[in-house]
Amino acid sequence: MGLVRHVVCAMSGGVDSSVAALLLKRRGYNVTGVFMKNWDSLDESGVCSTERDCDDAYRVCQTLDIPFHQVSYVKEYWHDVFSNLLKEYEKGRTPNPDILCNKHIKFNHFHKYAIHTLGADAMATGHYARTSQEDEEVFQQSHTTRPTTLFRDRFEIRNPVKLCKGADLAKDQTFFLSQILQDALRQTLFPLAGLTKEFVKKMAAEAGFHHVLKKKESMGICFIGERNFENFILEYLEPKPGNFVSIEDGTVKGTHKGWFTLTLGQRARIGGQKDAWFVVDKDIVTGDVFVAPTTNHPALFRDTARTDRFHWIASDPPAELVRTQMMECHFRFIHQMALIPCTVTLNMDGSLWISLSQPVRALTPGQFAVLYKGDECLGSGKIIQLGPSEFTLQKGRERLVANRQQNNEPIPDPAG
């Protein structure tokens, strides 16, 4: 009888993690289910959804006859994710807590708990994603000690594990995993890698997990649920009223409770306006939020952005990018948006300039620019600066033409 591998599976009380645990058990592993509590609260109807989810996870573990633990990361979530989120909103950005939660909680604190405290050979989650490793290779990772020196030996042959899209492209969750560390990825199994959501639901039904199948898919902010966002954020940040200002003529259209309650591209609720206006920019010094009439106004479209220091899943940037400072790949900044071809330029400080093949609507500072090469998710960087909008470029061209006409100069042909 060979060695039975011990795998700790993160259990959320949902269908995906329940089926992940079922598959691991069927593969003959020694499975422990662990529920993470990351947020203390009642939902708007006064029910603590965390308690309900924990009970659901426990029932699944009972059905599978596997041990169940629960662990609290409420303090860590507050420090590593939520306080960061509030700071970002105060800077006028729109953060992505789901990406931060995976980076700091699930693939950091929980990973260490699974491997070091519970002594597991690997951890597993119910994400729709894949890595370049077979299960056996994952288990070998726990028995090779990584060098503890600050700098790796330059000649150490490293074969980084790749993060790749899951088979169900409609459900692929690599976007949310784009900030995780190589060390955690090397010790992670994704049992749902080759499955579609439909098949996973079918397996859950056959296994008798009816209580988790009845649940709605959670779509709200990670662990905050589907509450009214403006009310929620105003519980933590002081209202900072300001004006809605037209980007076209500078007229004041109405007032808002704080720029942090609004994100680029969303419809601005402005009393007394019969047409829809959309948020196109913010000035956090004056508190003005700029709006434009129509959902596809040119002020909403941009084709360049700069990130902060980019996080590469492989730890280091791709060789071709280091060699030439430029690389072609694909970009998205919203989960499930269509991938857009782009060219990236590597800056000296590790940040990237990303130039898109076409302008996209509502590129948003604070969101993550996630890059792909084929099926591989290369990593992500937080967008901290935007290039000019189509509207700004249009205005610039009009000014140039007007100046030239005034001075009787020839007008250059933009196509030339």
Side-chain angles (χ1 to χ4, degrees), residues 243-247 249-255 270-273 277 291:
N243 291 324
F244 282 121
V245 177
S246 165
I247 193 86
D249 59 13
T251 55
V252 173
K253 295 291 172 191
T255 58
I270 309 176
Q273 294 290 333
W277 286 78
V291 291

Side-chain angles (χ1 to χ4, degrees), residues 3 22 49 90 92 109 140 156 195 218 245 254 267 280 369 395:
L3 175 68
L22 167 72
S49 53
E90 285 189 306
H109 295 297
Q140 281 155 17
E156 175 202 343
L195 306 182
S218 62
V245 177
R267 184 171 175 166
V280 297
K395 285 274 180 233

Side-chain angles (χ1 to χ4, degrees), residues 23 27 127-131 165-168 190-196:
L23 288 165
R27 285 183 201 169
H127 286 104
Y128 289 85
R130 203 163 51 82
T131 75
K165 295 176 192 166
D168 189 338
F190 295 120
L192 308 187
L195 306 182
T196 63

Side-chain angles (χ1 to χ4, degrees), residues 114-255:
I115 306 296
H116 303 307
T117 308
L118 297 182
D121 296 300
M123 66 172 262
T125 73
H127 286 104
Y128 289 85
R130 203 163 51 82
T131 75
S132 54
Q133 291 190 119
E134 296 298 325
D135 287 12
E136 242 347 276
E137 296 174 274
V138 177
F139 297 128
Q140 281 155 17
Q141 299 293 345
S142 55
H143 303 295
T144 52
T145 49
R146 304 286 312 282
T148 50
T149 50
L150 186 57
F151 298 103
R152 288 195 309 271
D153 178 349
R154 283 187 57 188
F155 303 105
E156 175 202 343
I157 297 166
R158 256 181 110 253
N159 196 4
V161 173
K162 294 177 179 176
L163 174 65
C164 305
K165 295 176 192 166
D168 189 338
L169 293 178
K171 280 297 297 176
D172 171 58
Q173 288 173 309
T174 49
F175 178 84
F176 297 117
L177 302 172
S178 61
Q179 280 275 316
I180 68 176
L181 290 171
Q182 178 67 204
D183 283 7
L185 186 65
R186 291 176 102 76
Q187 294 186 303
T188 300
L189 299 173
F190 295 120
L192 308 187
L195 306 182
T196 63
K197 180 75 179 195
E198 279 316 301
F199 190 74
V200 166
K201 283 182 177 167
K202 199 162 149 273
M203 286 190 76
E206 283 167 10
F209 300 158
H210 301 293
H211 64 294
V212 295
L213 273 168
K214 284 199 211 87
K215 292 166 79 163
K216 271 203 346 250
E217 192 87 1
S218 62
M219 297 304 276
I221 288 182
C222 182
F223 306 111
I224 295 167
E226 301 181 39
R227 281 183 274 179
N228 173 300
F229 178 74
E230 184 177 300
N231 296 348
F232 177 81
I233 206 74
L234 286 170
E235 286 177 27
Y236 296 93
L237 298 178
E238 281 294 306
K240 294 210 172 109
N243 291 324
F244 282 121
V245 177
S246 165
I247 193 86
E248 294 197 322
D249 59 13
T251 55
V252 173
K253 295 291 172 191
T255 58

Side-chain angles (χ1 to χ4, degrees), residues 29-86:
Y29 301 139
N30 215 327
V31 186
T32 300
V34 179
F35 179 83
M36 278 175 276
K37 183 183 183 183
N38 296 343
W39 190 255
D40 259 333
S41 77
L42 304 175
D43 66 19
E44 286 177 332
S45 56
V47 179
C48 181
S49 53
T50 308
E51 295 298 317
R52 208 171 33 220
D53 292 340
C54 186
D55 288 345
D56 291 339
Y58 175 62
R59 281 173 66 187
V60 169
C61 289
Q62 277 189 311
T63 306
L64 293 175
D65 193 23
I66 62 174
F68 173 79
H69 294 258
Q70 62 169 310
V71 59
S72 172
Y73 291 123
V74 171
K75 194 167 90 249
E76 291 83 351
Y77 188 83
W78 182 271
H79 287 298
D80 298 342
V81 180
F82 196 68
S83 57
N84 173 302
L85 181 105
L86 295 179

